[in-house]
Each structure stands twice: as structure tokens, then as C-alpha cells.
Amino acid sequence: MIQDSTYFLPGNRNGVLLIHGLTGTPTEMRILAKGLNAAGFTVYGMQLAGHCGNEEDLCKTTWQDWYQSVEQAADFLATKVDNLFVAGLSMGAVLSLKLAADRPEQIKGVGVYGVTFFYDGWSIPFWAKHSFFLLGWLKKLNLFQKMLFNEQPPYGLKDERIRATVSESMIGGDSAAAGLAGNPLPALAEMQYLVKHVKPLLSQIYVPCLIMHSTDDDIANINTNAGFVQQSIKGRSKLVKLDESYHLITIDRERRTVINETIEFFNDVINGLDNVEDRGHG
């Protein structure tokens, strides 16, 4: 049964919508949420459709369902704030970029954390790196749809203490706290469909983007993912490289850096918006 793991932290009239990753949970964004809220931001940690349940729950949904839940969350948060930002981890970053492309007037800036367009990190087996493109065809042909791509150590975490806690919850079946232990092939196929859809949209993004990525990402290589985004978008961007984390940078060793960089970047955007308004009234 799917559990509701969303959270809303009220603050000022500047809001941040946080989007977790595929098979993940809003919990992986909670530390960042608390940091942003302590700095004054209103924060909504949303839950993607089909998540925080079991593999069957997830496989009933498509990427369009995931994105629809993002749009609904953005609509909700927009009623509470004047300036709306969005930030996501892994697949959540891909969804964040789509929202920025689709809503250029509404979204003021984007936090892009461990963005995953390609599963090509050092922990991904060679055969998997070169077969992900087949997933869409397998789903259309209804082949191997009960298979799972199981998460392997280090589970995106360099910090061994946090890794032990997360893996215990994950393997123990607490998907609301730590996400699923495996990626169902149908969900990975939907992820491929999403990536194919979003890639051409990157050139339509003109809002400022903070791109943060580990140089040692075990899931998504920094050059082909973060570098790809920075080269493709048209707006101002800042790339922050992290050397002491793996994929889940919002909860790994440099989580405080993620918080501080995000606060500084979004506040700079807000100050720029304020200056524009001041000039408009002058």
C-alpha cells in the first residue's frame, strides 16, 4: 500500500518544490528541505505517483503520471508563494527541468542535483550501461517485465554510516523511508521515455540553473549528465562539483554544501527579480 510521505514546511513567499528520484521517496530531500526552510523558504516535499509503495504500485504508473503529480504539486505550492523554484534529485532533476521548460513564466530557478539522463556511473555493470536503450522495446513487447534491476552497494552513498541506515530500511522493505531495493524494468523503461522527451526541451530553458553533481557519482557520470545539461540549457548556470559524495548528494557527506549553495543561488535569483521590479517602478 502506498504511504503518503509528503511534507509542507511554511515560510516566506519564496517557495521551493522538491522532487525525489525514481524508486525514491521525499525523505531523500528532507534534510535539504529543513535547511531551506530554516533560511526562510516555504518548502513542499512532493511524492511522485506510484512511489512509496511496492514494485507493483510503481509499475502501474507511467512517466506522464509522475509528471502530472509534479504539476499538481507546483500548482499547490504556487498558491502559497510569489516566487516558485523547483529542485530535484536524479530523475527528479529531469522532471524539474521539464517543469522549467514547460512553465518559463512561473519557475524562477532550478536546482539540478545528480541529474540522470544516462545510467553510466562506475557502479553500473558494463552490460547494463549498453542495454538500457532496449528497455522501451522490451516493455512494448511485454518481455521480462517482472525483472528487477537490484540496487547494489554503495547505494549512491559514500558515507558508510548513512549507507548502513538506508540499506537496512531499503532491504527491510520500508519503501516510504528509503525507497525500493530494486528498479522494476517497466519503470526504467518509463524513465527512458522521459529522458527522450526532455532532452530536446533543454534548449528551451532560460531560467537560472544550479547544477550540483559528484565527480565520483556511482550512478550517473558528471560529464555526460551534469555537463550535458549545462551545455544544453540557454539560461545562466552554475556547476558545483562535489568530491566527497556519490549519487545521493542531498543526504551524503556534502549535504550541507548542497543546502548552502542552493540558498545562496536562489537568494541571488530573488535579489535579481527584486532589482528588476525596483527598476520597473522607478
Side-chain angles (χ1 to χ4, degrees):
M1 187 178 73
I2 292 178
Q3 299 182 48
D4 183 3
S5 299
T6 60
Y7 46 84
F8 178 73
L9 307 178
N12 60 28
R13 299 295 295 179
N14 301 309
V16 185
L17 175 64
L18 296 179
I19 310 174
H20 63 82
L22 179 62
T23 74
T25 161
T27 304
E28 65 197 28
M29 308 300 281
R30 187 178 283 275
I31 296 173
L32 173 59
K34 289 181 176 178
L36 291 169
N37 185 240
F41 290 90
T42 294
V43 183
Y44 183 37
M46 65 152 297
Q47 181 171 316
L48 294 173
H51 288 71
C52 297
N54 57 29
E55 286 86 358
E56 186 179 352
D57 295 320
L58 180 59
C59 290
K60 290 176 182 175
T61 59
T62 65
W63 76 260
Q64 290 94 339
D65 296 322
W66 307 336
Y67 185 61
Q68 183 179 38
S69 60
V70 169
E71 290 192 299
Q72 290 171 347
D75 290 342
F76 165 75
L77 186 54
T79 65
K80 311 292 184 183
V81 300
D82 298 321
N83 295 317
L84 179 59
F85 295 85
V86 62
L89 174 66
S90 194
M91 184 185 77
V94 179
L95 290 165
S96 296
L97 290 165
K98 175 167 169 55
L99 190 69
D102 289 349
R103 301 186 176 192
E105 299 302 319
Q106 183 182 56
I107 303 302
K108 306 303 181 185
V110 188
V112 184
Y113 312 125
V115 64
T116 306
F117 279 92
F118 307 97
Y119 285 96
D120 57 357
W122 55 262
S123 76
I124 304 296
F126 178 84
W127 64 267
K129 291 180 184 178
H130 297 277
S131 59
F132 274 113
F133 73 96
L134 295 172
L135 293 174
W137 290 106
L138 292 175
K139 184 167 186 177
K140 289 177 180 177
L141 296 171
N142 198 31
L143 297 173
F144 307 112
Q145 296 305 284
K146 298 294 184 182
M147 287 184 62
L148 295 174
F149 184 81
N150 288 314
E151 292 278 343
Q152 301 291 332
Y155 304 112
L157 290 161
K158 192 167 188 174
D159 189 299
E160 294 177 0
R161 180 180 58 84
I162 300 174
R163 184 195 309 163
T165 301
V166 169
S167 62
E168 183 180 1
S169 296
M170 188 187 302
I171 295 169
D174 190 354
S175 64
L180 294 173
N183 285 284
L185 258 60
L188 286 171
E190 290 297 327
M191 170 72 175
Q192 298 300 305
Y193 297 149
L194 171 65
V195 162
K196 185 177 181 180
H197 174 81
V198 175
K199 277 182 184 177
L201 300 180
L202 295 179
S203 61
Q204 300 174 27
I205 297 175
Y206 289 86
V207 298
C209 293
L210 171 65
I211 305 168
M212 303 190 71
H213 211 105
S214 168
T215 58
D216 201 20
D217 194 313
D218 56 319
I219 303 297
N221 180 276
I222 186 172
N223 297 318
T224 52
N225 288 280
F228 171 68
V229 171
Q230 189 174 40
Q231 292 166 10
S232 302
I233 61 175
K234 294 294 187 285
R236 173 170 69 90
S237 66
K238 178 182 181 182
L239 175 60
V240 178
K241 300 178 180 180
L242 302 172
D243 298 324
E244 290 298 323
S245 302
Y246 289 158
H247 185 60
L248 300 178
I249 60 174
T250 55
I251 57 176
D252 212 343
R253 289 178 178 170
E254 292 159 295
R255 54 193 179 276
R256 174 53 59 183
T257 302
V258 175
I259 292 170
N260 291 339
E261 288 282 352
T262 303
I263 292 169
E264 180 181 349
F265 190 85
F266 286 174
N267 278 332
D268 283 346
V269 174
I270 293 163
N271 291 334
L273 294 171
D274 289 342
N275 290 336
V276 170
E277 289 179 4
D278 290 343
R279 287 199 297 271
H281 292 301

